[in-house]
Amino acid sequence: MEAPLSGDQRANGRDMWRGAKLAAEQINLEGGILGRRVKLLRADDQADPERALPVARSLRRRGADAVIGPYNSGLGVINLPWYVDQKILPVHLTSTNQTDGLGVTVQPKNDQIAPVDIAYITSRQVKRVSMLVDPSDFTSDLADQVEKGLKADGVEVKRFSITPGSADYQAEIAQALASNPQLVYSSSYYPEGSKIARALVASGTSAEPFMCLSNVDAAFVTEAGLKVARRCTFSGTPESAQLPDAQNYVNAYRERFDREPNVWGAFTYDSLKLLDKTMEEVGSTRYKTVLDQLRQTKGYEGQTGRISIDPITGNRVKVPVFALRVNGQGDYVIKDDT
């Protein structure tokens, strides 16, 4: 399991680890995979692209057969080709379309997220949008697709780049607000997104803050504050307790870890359970045999919903992506008007 288990994105990464750990424990209680116990290895990439290959190589040395992850696209474009070359089967969590075909994924991809974002923005009769864009692979790729779609619908778009890790984004926000936008689209990760949201709300602008999928993180609400988070619209998947098919997962997670599940652990849980089912079906853990069968997945009943895989791209065919809001308890839920 490769994820940001420490650093700024640790809240998401540790939820992903717990989801995979729960799946591994359940698989082992049922006899393991092909009669062999699953050993889940921790690989902390800290969401740092410079750690992409060192982490991947450490998993190779430790004898990994498959990897759940990575989550960050900036790492995935570096180490997913290496995993494939080394025949370590990736069930990855990246959303950039640059990683299409590198293993399989049950998570949303940018060409599935962007249409949701575009549809929401145009449904609000928005005609002027400013974009604040992190130049990382996922965020820039998503922004490209959203910008193209909005312009095709006649929306005026102004785009400004941000530098991840900056102390504040006041100058970039001032530029973004200079054209009097009706909506500010932040294509960023947490914690940059929480800083942007706080500054936008503090500015007194009437523009709606729209935060892309990578801001859907429990730590965003903590850092930005509930009042600010509730002013924002998000794109993404709601927390696991809001998913119609995830009740078994939610109950087991609460019992095992004595806490509420976040968003992405349900996806790592489904990733490992689907891998288990596929290896059992083909009676093998061999790379090509399992990958070929994974790409034929149709109608697998996961906790994140029904899962089918496109055999060409390895991507999930239908994904649970919505416009979200934060409720009074600080949870991500589907917006009532979408």
Side-chain angles (χ1 to χ4, degrees):
M1 172 75 223
E2 181 191 340
L5 300 173
S6 64
D8 290 334
Q9 297 179 33
R10 63 187 179 275
N12 267 350
R14 291 173 186 177
D15 182 61
M16 293 174 200
W17 168 259
R18 287 189 287 267
K21 182 176 177 64
L22 181 62
E25 290 175 350
Q26 291 178 354
I27 291 166
N28 284 335
L29 284 173
E30 295 166 0
I33 297 177
L34 302 174
R36 295 157 58 190
R37 287 181 59 79
V38 175
K39 182 178 181 181
L40 191 62
L41 306 174
R42 290 172 65 94
D44 181 12
D45 60 31
Q46 299 177 6
D48 180 359
E50 291 187 3
R51 290 180 57 83
L53 286 177
V55 163
R57 288 172 179 143
S58 75
L59 288 178
R60 179 70 180 87
R61 289 193 300 270
R62 295 160 73 189
D65 297 291
V67 59
I68 308 299
Y71 166 68
N72 294 85
S73 294
L75 286 98
V77 297
I78 298 170
N79 66 14
L80 282 172
W82 191 89
Y83 282 127
V84 168
D85 183 63
Q86 296 295 311
K87 302 296 187 287
I88 299 173
L89 179 58
V91 186
H92 66 81
L93 307 167
T94 66
S95 291
T96 179
N97 290 108
Q98 296 177 62
T99 57
D100 289 359
L102 298 173
V104 300
T105 186
V106 303
Q107 286 214 169
K109 286 284 193 168
N110 280 350
D111 60 357
Q112 298 165 318
I113 302 165
V116 175
D117 295 0
I118 294 163
Y120 173 81
I121 293 168
T122 55
S123 76
R124 306 283 285 178
Q125 307 302 311
V126 167
K127 293 301 180 185
R128 297 183 308 280
V129 170
S130 285
M131 305 181 82
L132 294 166
V133 182
D134 178 330
S136 302
D137 291 281
F138 162 70
T139 45
S140 61
D141 181 32
L142 177 61
D144 289 346
Q145 296 190 40
V146 172
E147 180 179 9
K148 181 179 178 180
L150 290 176
K151 285 182 174 179
D153 283 332
V155 178
E156 178 185 332
V157 179
K158 303 285 187 182
R159 179 166 171 162
F160 307 92
S161 181
I162 66 167
T163 302
S166 297
D168 68 67
Y169 298 98
Q170 297 289 349
E172 295 88 341
I173 288 169
Q175 289 179 304
L177 295 179
S179 59
N180 193 28
Q182 296 163 280
L183 182 143
V184 176
Y185 184 95
S186 180
S187 193
S188 57
Y189 284 96
Y190 166 84
E192 284 73 29
S194 60
K195 296 177 185 178
I196 289 168
R198 282 203 316 270
L200 281 171
V201 172
S203 75
T205 181
S206 61
E208 179 179 358
F210 189 107
M211 318 304 294
C212 82
L213 175 140
S214 50
N215 287 287
V216 180
D217 184 325
F220 180 102
V221 181
T222 302
E223 176 68 21
L226 183 59
K227 183 178 179 181
V228 169
R230 297 200 71 193
R231 276 283 309 275
C232 300
T233 298
F234 301 79
S235 66
T237 298
E239 293 180 1
S240 300
Q242 308 294 324
L243 294 173
D245 300 304
Q247 199 56 55
N248 288 339
Y249 168 76
V250 170
N251 291 341
Y253 189 107
R254 288 169 175 165
E255 181 177 354
R256 174 64 179 84
F257 302 112
D258 193 26
R259 64 176 65 218
E260 289 297 309
N262 198 345
V263 176
W264 303 113
F267 287 87
T268 57
Y269 178 92
D270 274 356
S271 296
L272 186 48
K273 284 295 190 107
L274 177 59
L275 185 62
D276 165 40
K277 174 181 176 292
T278 304
M279 287 178 170
E280 290 284 355
E281 284 178 349
V282 298
S284 174
T285 59
R286 292 178 66 85
Y287 177 89
K288 186 176 187 307
T289 303
V290 179
L291 178 58
D292 287 348
Q293 185 68 15
L294 275 172
R295 287 184 168 175
Q296 300 304 315
T297 299
K298 290 184 174 62
Y300 173 73
E301 298 288 350
Q303 296 295 294
T304 59
R306 189 182 293 267
I307 298 171
S308 297
I309 301 294
D310 184 314
I312 304 300
T313 64
N315 298 341
R316 185 172 178 169
V317 174
K318 186 177 180 182
V319 294
V321 177
F322 308 92
L324 306 177
R325 63 181 177 87
V326 172
N327 66 14
Q329 291 71 49
D331 302 322
Y332 291 94
V333 297
I334 298 171
K335 287 200 77 166
D336 300 330
D337 58 347
T338 61

